[in-house]
Structure formats: C-alpha cells, structure tokens
Amino acid sequence: MRFLPSIVLALCAILFGRSTEAQTAIRAVYPIAGAQQVSVRTSIAIVYPRPIDKQALDVGSIVVRGAGGRVSAGSVRLSADAKTLIFTPAQPFHTNEHVTLAVGPLAYATSGHSDAYTTNFVTEEASAPTELNYTGDDPITQMAVRARAGGFRYDRSADLTPTPQGFPLLTVDNDDDPSDGKLYMANFKFVQTQGETYRMVLDKQGSILYAQTSDSHVILDFKPHSNGRYTYFDSPTSTFVVLDSNMNVTDTLRAANGYDMDGHDFRYNADGSYYVIALHYFKKDMRPVFPGADSNATVIDNVVQEFDKGNNLIWEWRGLDHYQLTDIENESLSGPIVDYCHMNAIEIDTDGNLLLSCRHMDEITKVNRQTGEIIWRWGGKHNEFTFRFDTTGFSHQHAIRYVPTGTYTLFDNGNYHQHGATFSRAVEYKLDQVNKVASQVWEFRHQPLTYGYAMGYVQRLPNGNTLIGWGACANVAVTEVGPFNRTVFEMSMDSGNYSYRAYKYPVGYLQSAVRKTADVSLSSTMQCYPNPVRESAEVRFSVAHTSPIDVTLFDLLGRPVASIAHENLSEGSYSATIDARHIPAGSYYLQLSSGGEMQYSSVMIVK
C-alpha cells in the first residue's frame, strides 16, 4: 500500500498530460495541450522522437473523447517519416467542445515502445467575417477578408490568352549591366474592376519572355522552385497552384483543419515537404481586451502548417497559442476586424528552426520547429535585441530571408518608423543570437526616397547584387542594386499595377532543377547520414558495376561546392565524408554519377 501515491500520480500524469519523466519522449503535439478556439475540423498529431512501427500500429490504443465522454470515430495514419501520428476525426467536433485524446504505448520501428500520452483542447467553429468593404493596410489580407465575406468580385477584361492583352505597361528606367537571369513577377490591381493579371517571366533587360493569365483574377507570389516547379497563389480560390516546368498545372494546395490558405508565403523543403500560412477567423468580444472595442469582432489568427510531399499535414503552429492580442504594435484593436499578427513570411534558419515575420507586431519571431516554443523575439513590443548601427529599426516589414554569407535581409516597409521620414528600404543585419545583438551591415534607400506601404521583397543574387521588389509603391516596381549601391536595373509599372514580390533566378534554373529531380530508375543508390549536417556526414553509396564514379555536392543553383569522391570503383558498397565545417548553411544536393547513371540526394547543412 505504501506505493499507492506514486501509482496515483503516474496515472494522473497520463490522464491529464502533466510533465513526468515518461512524457519527455513526446517531441510535440498539436493542438497544444490546453489550446482554446481550435477549429472544429482540426486533426490531432503527436510527434515522436523515433519512427513508429506501422505494422504494429493499434488503432484501439487511441481514444478521442468529446462532450459527455462521447468517443469520436476517425482514422489514424503516420507521416512519411513515421514519426508523426495523425488522428483525423470522421466528423467535425462540436463548437466549444472539450476534447481529450489518449494514446497508449506504441511500438517503435527499431525497438521499444513510446510512452502513453494525453492531450486536451477546446474547439470553436470558424466564423466568416461579414465586413464586405473591409479596408486594411495590406491588399492581400484585405482581399482575403472581402472574398471570405462574399463581397469582393472581379470583372474580366479579356479572354485567356498566351499573349499579353491588357498587359501592364512596363517601363525600364535604368539598364546598366544587370546580372544574368530571368525576372518572375505577377501583376494585379487593387481595385474592384480587376481586369487581367499575369504570371510574367522577363529577361534581364525587362523584355517579356512569357506572360500567361489564368482563371484567377488575382495572382500573387509567382515563383520558381529548386525542385523544378512553379507556384502561385490564386486569391479567389485561396489555393496555391503548382505548375511543372512547362507551366502545366499539377496540383492545387489548400490549408488543412478548416482554415483558409493565406497567400503571403509558400516554402518548399529539400525533401518535398512545404510550409504555408493559414488564416483562422473567429468571433470575439474584444471589450475586455481593449475598452470601447467591438463586442462581436472578427479576429484573424495566423497558423503555420507543414505538409509532407504527399500533402499530408504533419505539423501546425497557431499564433494565439503563443502571442497575445495586445502584442499588436501600431494597429487598432477596436475595429470589426482584428488582424493582430499579419504573418507574411516564413524562413528556415540554419539550425532548422523557423523565422516568422509578423507585420502588425513589427516583429520577427524565431520558433523551435520541434517543440513550437518561441526561442526569441526581434522587434516590436517584446524586442529582445539591441540594434547596432541602425537608429531606424524596421516597421511593418516583409520577407525575412537568410543569406548564405551568414546575414539576414528583409524589406522594411517603414510604415511607423520611429525616426525620420516615412520611406521603405532594403536592409541587412548580422545577428548574434546568443547575445541578442542585431547589427546593420547594409541598407538601400531609393533616391529620391520611395514608399511601398505594403508587400515587398528583398533577394540577394548569386553575384552579390540585390533585387528589391517595392510592393505597393506607385513610382517604382523593381530595382537591382550592385556594388556600392549602384542601381544597375530599375523598372516601373503603370499606375495601379503592383507585384507582391519580384524574383530573379539564373537562366536554366528550372531546367537544372528538372534534371536533378527526374524520376528515373537507377541501379546505384546513395544516402547521407546524418541529414541535416552540422560539421560532417557520411555519404553511403553503392555501385552496380565497375565504372568511374563521381560524387559531388552542388548548391541549388547547380554550382559545385565540394568533391566528395572521384575514382574507379568495382561493384559494391562504399562511403565517403562531407566536411561541412566551411560550407555555408543552406540547402544542397549530392549528385552520384556512375556508369552513365545519375542519382541525387537532398542535403541540408545547418550551423
């Protein structure tokens, strides 16, 4: 009987999800324990440290209970790496339902069993906004709210055509030896009478190489990817459209768990998985939060979702599980729409964790990809960094991106700069993430000063130049800057036409990507352990027959970075080493050439 208290404590820990030594094996869970206002259409996922044995997966060991203790039926599956268990209910949960999931021990694929685990959360039905004429500070979210409310329609001015009709007037204002490559843009007008919008590919002088409209009337974020695909956001349907290298539609992607897709960012990972931002609308009495606020406001929360290459949701991060509505910096909490966060960019940092740009909080947040916990906050009310060599700071920013030289760029819209005139700029920082110091190392201010109140993008090019897309700016669309801030290219569009972002990639970028992702049957094989790589990794490969072999590490632009192996080998299995100590963090791929065959493997280097 003297052991009874410890048994009771252990049982309570299993039933109520309290921290115990046994619980530490669980890496993450979504929705997080105790989450509020979760979509009634949510799935539930638990992330384990090791792959679960698919053959031994016992559905009976998973119990989901709702109101009155009722058991919810549903299906269970594992992610592609078998580390994430996902329960999808057969029917949506009820509104304001207290849901509990209990999972018994599960067999690992190698040996041993996981620990039992219990989590709980409360649901709420998503509520569509009713503000048909909502006016926000960003065209993308404004269009999303109006479309969701059923009040934003578009007029068509031309039929589908592969040649430009009603095409925006593009004016090249400066052409002084820009870098080689192709420009990728998509125009739209932020007006009720939209007319045609186009996916555009231009040469380095701004001449049209390709222009194609589609069934959409608003095309956003058209860009190529290193896996040989294009994507763009189709605003009326709230989907990301995936195209092959010939511009043929191969997939349309939607947010999961009852949320709407947000068009601000789409990021592929090296293994074919991808991140998106989703929108969760729900009603809330804001008066307890802010005196005099709306008693029935529509709150917009941002949700980060990761899908595997089979389009299965494997990870989710909801803003209001970690932020407060009062974290807002310069926007109102008193109106009918409360867009407190306004997330507009996702970046994968060198350690595999995520950087999230939150415009209305004037903040970049770093999030632990495994646990979901916030690592640090840069900018805004909760800034943890000291700014050096920068008295301006950033305000209502877009497009946080890591540069392989070890710095970070962003587009500083400048809506609420603390000092000086209202203007936008491209800016670059060196971050000391240990001592929390952000040192400005470069910036570009257009002369005369120009202002893109919304949208915008900054991209460091392979030759060291920088491409700047000015977003919602009336007098300039794209600028390429060379050494000493010399403008080598600049282009404007006729009044009323904007491009959310502008990109530039080398000629042949897509063709190189198609070659390395070609689906061919090879008798040789290759793998890299561990992956991601920190200092070194072992490359294991087999040779089907005696032949010269070559194993080379390339960056995503197809440039050789390191020779891993180069010799004549007979049939058999071999290994070689990647020394990554002096290779910048980022995404790469290995190429194995053996007997006329090519084998490829994606590699992520982190620091």
Side-chain angles (χ1 to χ4, degrees):
M1 292 297 292
R2 65 179 183 273
F3 297 107
L4 183 59
S6 61
I7 294 174
V8 171
L9 287 175
L11 180 62
C12 289
I14 292 175
L15 291 177
F16 299 104
R18 294 177 182 170
S19 297
T20 70
E21 186 175 350
Q23 291 273 30
T24 59
I26 302 299
R27 301 290 294 274
V29 59
Y30 72 78
I32 67 170
Q36 304 290 309
Q37 295 155 331
V38 176
S39 169
V40 295
R41 293 169 176 79
T42 192
S43 56
I44 308 170
I46 299 176
V47 183
Y48 292 90
R50 290 188 284 154
I52 298 296
D53 184 354
K54 297 179 182 180
Q55 304 301 321
L57 186 61
D58 181 9
V59 178
S61 65
I62 302 165
V63 179
V64 178
R65 296 184 182 276
R70 71 179 181 90
V71 177
S72 298
S75 60
V76 176
R77 60 181 171 83
L78 292 174
S79 60
D81 64 3
K83 292 182 179 180
T84 303
L85 182 149
I86 303 151
F87 172 85
T88 303
Q91 299 293 330
F93 295 108
H94 297 161
T95 299
N96 198 32
E97 184 166 16
H98 292 251
V99 178
T100 299
L101 175 140
V103 183
L106 300 175
Y108 285 125
T110 50
S111 63
H113 289 75
S114 68
D115 302 311
Y117 186 79
T118 296
T119 187
N120 56 82
F121 55 88
V122 181
T123 63
E124 181 166 336
E125 177 68 75
S127 300
T130 57
E131 292 71 18
L132 301 180
N133 297 309
Y134 166 66
T135 300
D137 74 332
D138 186 306
I140 298 174
T141 300
Q142 181 168 320
M143 286 186 291
V145 171
R146 289 184 178 185
R148 192 73 163 84
F152 202 44
R153 295 290 181 266
Y154 310 97
D155 293 331
R156 191 109 192 204
S157 64
D159 295 328
L160 291 179
T161 173
T163 57
Q165 296 181 9
F167 196 76
L169 175 63
L170 304 178
T171 303
V172 176
D173 303 306
N174 190 311
D175 182 3
D176 186 10
D177 193 27
S179 61
D180 291 333
K182 296 179 180 179
L183 286 167
Y184 299 85
M185 302 168 58
N187 73 297
F188 73 97
K189 288 185 175 182
F190 186 43
V191 293
Q192 189 80 0
T193 306
Q194 178 64 33
E196 293 291 351
T197 67
Y198 285 87
R199 307 187 302 269
M200 298 184 257
V201 183
L202 314 174
D203 69 14
K204 69 177 185 178
Q205 275 83 34
S207 297
I208 302 168
L209 299 175
Y210 170 90
Q212 175 66 65
T213 187
S214 66
D215 290 335
S216 173
H217 299 275
V218 176
I219 296 170
L220 302 170
D221 203 27
F222 170 57
K223 59 190 174 188
H225 297 273
S226 61
N227 58 9
R229 300 169 186 167
Y230 296 95
T231 58
Y232 69 87
F233 183 70
D234 181 81
S235 187
T237 61
S238 296
T239 61
F240 273 100
V241 180
V242 183
L243 311 169
D244 64 19
S245 60
N246 295 315
M247 298 290 185
N248 298 311
V249 175
T250 61
D251 208 350
T252 53
L253 307 176
R254 290 176 167 82
N257 289 348
Y259 302 131
D260 286 4
M261 186 75 89
D262 186 298
H264 277 100
D265 213 352
F266 179 96
R267 301 303 305 275
Y268 270 119
N269 294 314
D271 62 359
S273 61
Y274 55 91
Y275 289 102
V276 299
I277 302 169
L279 300 173
H280 178 36
Y281 302 97
F282 63 91
K283 294 293 185 180
K284 182 177 179 63
D285 182 354
M286 288 293 296
R287 291 174 298 180
V289 179
F290 188 80
D294 197 310
S295 63
N296 191 36
T298 299
V299 174
I300 305 175
D301 193 17
N302 287 127
V303 182
V304 180
Q305 295 186 328
E306 183 183 11
F307 296 80
D308 64 22
K309 61 184 178 181
N311 299 338
N312 300 304
L313 180 66
I314 58 174
W315 190 77
E316 183 174 273
W317 191 90
R318 302 186 328 133
L320 283 175
D321 288 339
H322 306 274
Y323 298 133
Q324 300 293 321
L325 291 171
T326 51
D327 290 346
I328 202 165
E329 182 78 315
N330 290 293
E331 299 294 327
S332 173
L333 291 172
S334 61
I337 299 288
V338 177
D339 183 14
Y340 81 101
C341 178
H342 198 104
M343 195 178 295
N344 58 32
I346 303 170
E347 177 64 319
I348 304 160
D349 206 356
T350 58
D351 54 9
N353 295 313
L354 302 183
L355 302 176
L356 308 176
S357 173
C358 303
R359 171 177 167 88
H360 285 179
M361 291 156 50
D362 297 326
E363 173 181 319
I364 307 296
T365 309
K366 184 163 184 175
V367 171
N368 187 307
R369 168 57 184 81
Q370 298 299 324
T371 67
E373 295 300 314
I374 290 177
I375 298 173
W376 49 248
R377 304 176 75 168
W378 174 29
K381 280 186 177 180
H382 300 280
N383 176 48
E384 300 175 37
F385 282 74
T386 299
F387 283 82
R388 294 182 63 209
F389 316 121
D390 181 17
T391 59
T392 304
F394 53 80
S395 172
H396 273 39
Q397 74 292 334
H398 281 76
I400 179 69
R401 289 294 184 257
Y402 173 74
V403 180
T405 54
T407 58
Y408 299 81
T409 58
L410 57 82
F411 184 78
D412 175 17
N413 293 80
N415 300 55
Y416 298 95
H417 276 154
Q418 297 299 312
H419 306 287
T422 300
F423 63 92
S424 300
R425 62 175 178 153
V427 61
E428 180 178 8
Y429 296 94
K430 181 77 174 179
L431 293 186
D432 179 345
Q433 299 191 37
V434 176
N435 297 307
K436 308 288 179 60
V437 178
S439 300
Q440 180 182 302
V441 296
W442 173 84
E443 71 167 5
F444 178 80
R445 305 185 186 189
H446 192 278
Q447 297 300 327
L449 293 176
T450 193
Y451 178 47
Y453 72 89
M455 308 183 290
Y457 195 70
V458 177
Q459 179 189 5
R460 183 59 45 79
L461 303 177
N463 72 339
N465 286 4
T466 304
L467 190 77
I468 305 165
W470 295 95
C473 177
N475 58 326
V476 61
V478 181
T479 302
E480 182 178 336
V481 181
F484 308 106
N485 276 3
R486 181 173 65 91
T487 296
V488 298
F489 178 83
E490 190 157 280
M491 184 176 69
S492 58
M493 288 192 285
D494 59 325
S495 178
N497 272 291
Y498 301 133
S499 180
Y500 168 46
R501 289 173 172 173
Y503 302 89
K504 190 172 191 179
Y505 290 96
V507 175
Y509 178 71
L510 259 292
Q511 289 80 357
S512 172
V514 170
R515 284 196 297 273
K516 69 182 185 190
T517 57
D519 185 13
V520 295
S521 178
L522 298 174
S523 52
S524 301
T525 61
M526 177 176 59
Q527 293 177 306
C528 177
Y529 300 92
N531 193 4
V533 182
R534 292 191 179 274
E535 293 187 352
S536 65
E538 181 184 16
V539 180
R540 303 174 187 174
F541 60 94
S542 66
V543 178
H545 47 79
T546 302
S547 64
I549 67 97
D550 182 90
V551 180
T552 303
L553 183 70
F554 290 87
D555 66 17
L556 294 185
L557 298 179
R559 301 174 298 190
V561 174
S563 177
I564 308 302
H566 182 75
E567 55 188 312
N568 289 314
L569 294 176
S570 58
E571 179 182 351
S573 298
Y574 300 88
S575 67
T577 300
I578 298 176
D579 184 352
R581 289 175 297 174
H582 304 295
I583 300 175
S587 296
Y588 299 85
Y589 69 94
L590 285 165
Q591 175 184 281
L592 166 62
S593 174
S594 174
E597 296 179 340
M598 295 289 186
Q599 178 69 278
Y600 299 94
S601 179
S602 297
V603 175
M604 175 69 77
I605 295 178
V606 298
K607 299 295 184 181

